[in-house]
Amino acid sequence: MQRILVFGGPGAGSSTLGLELSTRIDLPLLDIADFFSIPPKEFHARPQSPEEEQKFQDALGSKRWILAGSIASWNSQAEPFFDGVIYLQLRRTLRLKRLREREIERLGEIV
């Protein structure tokens, strides 16, 4: 496999597993968070800018990668490129705990 999607709900560990796999099997890591953002008061990701959208499309066109993160409505763009998929599923309570810890780490106790 040369193009692998690692995904799950937010906090499932897809970015962490993607990074580990990238290191172990020597495939470049594409983290969805580097290309997409979630605007305040919205619950779906969108490209950060037209330039980021093009960068994402260019990255998908390369021959080898691991794409890691939470996917949403944009996934149909990338679907034809996958030749392997890993889906991570964790209990909602554990994912929410991880997300809270992540936000506190990033933003401090103001969250």
Side-chain angles (χ1 to χ4, degrees):
M1 286 186 276
Q2 298 294 307
R3 296 178 181 166
I4 302 168
L5 171 65
V6 179
F7 77 106
S14 52
S15 295
T16 302
L17 180 59
L19 180 60
E20 183 65 26
L21 283 174
S22 173
T23 302
R24 287 184 184 218
I25 62 177
D26 194 32
L27 287 175
L29 176 65
L30 306 176
D31 195 306
I32 291 167
D34 294 337
F35 301 98
F36 291 83
S37 62
I38 300 176
K41 298 184 181 182
E42 293 188 28
F43 297 99
H44 59 279
R46 62 173 61 167
Q48 295 178 2
S49 68
E51 294 79 19
E52 291 297 319
E53 171 69 17
Q54 187 59 53
K55 186 177 170 186
F56 179 66
Q57 291 299 326
D58 292 346
L60 287 178
S62 65
K63 294 182 182 195
R64 307 174 65 243
W65 43 255
I66 294 174
L67 179 62
S70 297
I71 62 173
S73 59
W74 62 267
N75 67 344
S76 60
Q77 300 173 41
E79 225 169 68
F81 295 98
F82 308 147
D83 59 20
V85 176
I86 299 170
Y87 174 66
L88 302 175
Q89 184 175 4
L90 293 176
R91 288 187 326 268
R92 182 181 315 150
T93 53
L94 179 55
R95 288 191 306 109
L96 291 173
K97 178 181 181 285
R98 288 177 169 187
L99 289 171
R100 175 143 177 83
E101 290 169 354
R102 179 192 305 170
E103 293 307 308
I104 288 172
E105 183 179 307
R106 290 180 181 168
L107 303 172
E109 288 291 335
I110 62 168
V111 178

